[in-house]
Amino acid sequence: MYYSSGNYEAFARPKKPAGIDHKSAYIIGTGLGALAAACYLVRDAQMPGSHIHILEKDPVAGGACDGADIPGVGYVMRGGREMDNHFEVMWDLFRSIPSIEDPDISVLDEYYWLNKEDPNYSLCRSTKNRGQDGGTDGKFGLSDKAATEIMDLFFTPDEELANRPITDFFDDEVLNSNFWMYWRTMFAFENWHSALEMKLYIRRYIHHIAGLPDFSALRFTRYNQYESMILPMQRYLEAHGVQFHFDTKVENVVFEVGGEGPRRAVTGTGQDTIQRIQQAAFARNPYSTSTKKVARRITVTHAGEISNIDLTEDDLVFITNGGCVENSTIGAQDKPAAWDPTIRPGGGWDMWRRIAAQDPSFGHPDKFCGDPEKSNWMSATVTTLDGEIVPYIQKICHRDPFTGHVVTGGIVTCEDSGWLMSWTINRQQQFRDQPKDQLCVWVYGLFTDKPGDYVKKAMRDCTGEEICQEWLYHLGVPEDKIVELAANHANTVPVMMPYITAFFMPREAGDRPDVVPDGAVNFAFLGQFAETPRDTIFTTEYSMRTGMEAVYTLCDVDRGVPEVWGSVFDVRDLLMSSVKLRDGEPITSMKLPMVERIALKEVLKKVEGTDIAKLLKEYGAI
């Protein structure tokens, strides 16, 4: 497996790998990583679909990418997905997946046309004082000291960030700024989360800094993530004969460890020199060994019966280890969502613990699932039942929410909310069967253990109706109308997710297993808790990238995996983001110590009259 960039390999069709007709695949889970792996097995590895078996513990596919109308409960979306135009693997795959709406076009086609005709941007990023505009005015509000703290983190080597929280690097200069409000609510970072992940995010999305305040950097699907992404992939796979086994819990994968394993080159053929050098330089898992590791048995539970699937070296196993929506619970209009972090057999965490006990290179799950008080937040889906609540929404988003176009353009954060509540309305209807006069609103709160401002209870103790009351309060609904509107003009379904940001917990190299561990013969890890270099978790791209890398490695597919977009190596993006973070102020206006100020002045003298000075002026750096 090797990385590539540009169009030379982007549209090439690989030759059929030798021996693929004699191989089979067992894929654990049906999240994006798992479905992507199945699609790449079909499209590029050209494995017969009937040889591919997908094992899913739930009755429906999708993992964290869900969206459902639950009888007697209502519409539920546990989360939403924000996409980037440089999700290279995602778009590589979706160009081949037919649209459900029109089979003659691809999912990529419909997505591209939609976001070109209806570009995303927000007209109100935050509110204060019960529905009043937060007045951020698109500014980051960073002092020179705060900008320096961010820069210091950006340049700190990964090894020095191991197991360290964000607060080791940011103080109140950053944490009280608009920048941190934008960032923490958009990505669900908490102050105690990983400084390493924070750095990786800044580097990964440096090209989108300018679009952070108004979400113009983002693109969204037409419908909820399940109907827009999961269903098209599932139907594509079913059309190729792939076998789905629902209500099937995988409790363990048993490995045989010993002997000398396969020696896979870190780089493959066909790369440019710079990519060979870059890939060879990627840090390896410190627990890696060349010892041979073979998946020999999968233990499953179905319909209350335990059975084993015996494996040969030609049976490929793709394992979704861990899971951010494990232990999720759903409440109702009149019922809170239970707090239940207990890890049980048949779930992603318990399975990963059993796997990790067999070899040190298989990761350390408890680093992520060991403290659910630091990895949880709650969401709720509010469905408006008539037009009574709509005017309060429209006053904030400044758009008619019933046009089918962009509404809020991303989350609206209630800055003075005790729960740090945010809410969003994506294009309506969010469900194909949703009544035309109803809206589905997604609400989430980062501080589930804190009392609300109207409902004086912790969010995790609230019914759907009470969460709706708190939301209406922050919309600016008159207090004498709140109770009646929440009870009779909306249906609200809360969801508690104890491990939703488990992947942001402070960590170090080796805590996540490599997608294909050194010495592995017939297995790979998928999803948010597998390690692939340079990309960032909590994205659709990360999961799908692990699926592509896993298939290309195990099946020896001779085509490049598109590298992570390299904006961090583009001097134009670096200059633009530096200026934008300072709200348009040039670098030369920073209050620097005398020595640094003199040094900067001398450097600018040296480059005067050159293309370097021209570039600095073009991007407003001087």
Side-chain angles (χ1 to χ4, degrees), residues 1-10 88 269-272 275 278-279 545 548 552 559-565:
M1 192 279 291
Y2 61 94
Y3 296 115
S4 64
S5 61
N7 288 341
Y8 179 62
E9 297 198 42
E88 308 300 327
T269 58
Q271 296 167 276
D272 291 336
Q275 287 172 322
Q278 180 192 84
Q279 191 169 351
R545 176 172 290 278
M548 187 178 192
Y552 275 41
R559 174 178 180 258
V561 172
E563 71 165 339
V564 174
W565 182 247

Side-chain angles (χ1 to χ4, degrees), residues 585-598:
E585 290 293 319
I587 298 169
T588 47
S589 70
M590 286 188 75
K591 295 183 178 67
L592 297 171
M594 182 176 292
V595 174
E596 283 88 344
R597 193 165 64 248
I598 293 171

